[in-house]
Amino acid sequence: MILSSTVPNQTGALEVVIRTLREVLSEFSSVGGSAKEQLDNYRQLVTKHARTLASYFTHADLERLLLTQRYWALFPAEVTTSNSRVIADTVQTERDDRMRSLDALIKEYQQVQQSWNDDAGDPVVAVLADTNIYLHQDAYFNEIDWPSLFGGRRIRLLVPIVVVDELDVAKRAGKSITVSDTNKESIRSRARITIRRLRDLFEDPGARVPIGVQTEAELLLNSMDHRRIDDSDAEIIERALTLGQLIGTEVMLVTSDGGMQFRARSAGVPVRRLD
């Protein structure tokens, strides 16, 4: 699953946002007429829909979606005989760019919606595990009895790409560092084998794959314009919050790290400790 970098700031608002964005596309596609009519109609539509979408997006997101620099350049424009062609071309170019951007965003949201609607009749717990779970549990991630941690419920384990990157770093850890006091496997070996298992599972990076009884796994990928937080713990927490906003339900963080537990809970992310 690819997480969009533009996320509604109201949890569970995905359906109404998709419907609103479709309305914007429909009305934008009907902008026509003379240069003056196009200019007036487009400015009115952007103003109207920016007001509506302000309930769901930050101002920075609205600037990317609708209130672009080119839009503001159009706002004080007046149509004369000498500039009518330039004005019409500029309106059409801006409108077409916005429509492509909005259409891409709708498709991203629909992908998330379809993925989680598949489980509407049989609720699944969204679980995101910290990197230490992959490295410092005696069992490999795909051998852990995940349902037993959540009362026997179905589990979807989301694997953020930042965790994969941290596993890559761990492949070069010191030879003396081991998985745990009871498992003397080196962290380097654990990281290499874990990455190999992830690679085998996700030959298709967009697939959901079974990894045990009542358990499936899915990669949590970032959109190309996502700006990663430098601190890996903060990035994992942010990804959990973002996914939760999109799917309309809490994402459970599983960790054995004390600091991560405190940071996650203070951010509003529920935590299940696994020692």
Side-chain angles (χ1 to χ4, degrees):
M1 176 193 302
I2 298 176
L3 277 188
S4 174
S5 61
T6 306
V7 179
N9 53 27
Q10 292 189 25
T11 301
L14 208 55
E15 181 61 40
V16 67
V17 169
I18 290 174
R19 185 166 60 249
T20 303
L21 293 177
R22 283 173 173 161
E23 291 172 3
V24 177
L25 282 180
S26 176
E27 294 192 24
F28 276 13
S29 65
S30 64
V31 172
S34 67
K36 185 178 187 311
E37 290 170 335
Q38 290 184 50
L39 178 62
D40 291 344
N41 290 339
Y42 186 72
R43 291 191 298 201
Q44 291 171 11
L45 287 174
V46 170
T47 301
K48 167 189 170 183
H49 290 298
R51 187 181 301 117
T52 301
L53 291 172
S55 299
Y56 303 103
F57 294 107
T58 65
H59 184 70
D61 286 338
L62 283 178
E63 286 183 324
R64 288 192 295 271
L65 293 173
L66 294 176
L67 305 176
T68 66
Q69 290 183 348
R70 186 160 52 197
Y71 165 74
W72 288 116
L74 280 171
F75 205 82
E78 296 297 335
V79 179
T80 66
T81 303
S82 61
N83 73 0
S84 61
R85 184 68 263 164
V86 173
I87 292 291
D89 286 347
T90 304
V91 170
Q92 290 168 16
T93 299
E94 173 65 0
R95 179 201 63 182
D96 291 348
D97 283 352
R98 295 306 91 225
M99 290 181 69
R100 279 191 290 269
S101 177
L102 293 173
D103 185 60
L105 185 59
I106 289 171
K107 289 176 180 176
E108 290 178 358
Y109 289 168
Q110 287 175 326
Q111 181 189 40
V112 173
Q113 197 176 46
Q114 180 178 357
S115 175
W116 290 88
N117 281 351
D118 288 348
D119 296 305
D122 188 7
V124 61
V125 180
V127 173
L128 196 154
D130 190 11
T131 310
N132 61 59
I133 298 299
Y134 294 85
L135 291 176
H136 291 289
Q137 291 296 308
D138 285 351
Y140 280 83
F141 75 96
N142 59 328
E143 297 169 353
I144 294 173
D145 183 4
W146 293 102
S148 69
L149 300 176
F150 299 94
R153 298 166 66 189
R154 287 185 59 217
I155 303 298
R156 187 182 304 182
L157 177 67
L158 287 308
V159 186
I161 197 66
V162 63
V163 167
V164 180
D165 292 339
E166 287 198 300
L167 291 172
D168 277 325
V169 172
K171 291 190 303 186
R172 297 178 286 277
K175 293 182 179 179
S176 61
I177 303 176
T178 60
V179 168
S180 69
D181 291 340
T182 56
N183 185 334
K184 298 307 179 182
E185 179 186 11
S186 73
I187 285 294
R188 294 173 63 175
S189 174
R190 169 60 65 92
R192 281 196 303 270
I193 294 172
T194 298
I195 289 173
R196 188 180 308 135
R197 292 189 181 195
L198 288 169
R199 189 167 56 239
D200 290 343
L201 281 172
F202 298 116
E203 290 185 7
D204 175 3
R208 298 203 318 261
V209 294
I211 60 170
V213 177
Q214 290 188 285
T215 307
E216 59 187 5
E218 183 174 10
L219 280 176
L220 198 58
L221 301 169
N222 300 327
S223 61
M224 293 297 291
D225 57 347
H226 171 68
R227 294 185 179 181
R228 180 181 290 187
I229 302 171
D230 290 338
D231 180 78
S232 296
D233 282 359
E235 172 72 8
I236 290 170
I237 291 169
E238 188 278 334
R239 295 288 80 186
L241 288 169
T242 296
L243 178 61
Q245 284 179 240
L246 282 172
I247 66 177
T249 188
E250 289 182 326
V251 177
M252 299 291 300
L253 176 69
V254 178
T255 183
S256 60
D257 182 78
M260 182 61 146
Q261 292 177 54
F262 296 138
R263 284 190 286 272
R265 286 184 175 135
S266 67
V269 176
V271 175
R272 181 60 54 88
R273 180 173 174 172
L274 183 59
D275 292 327

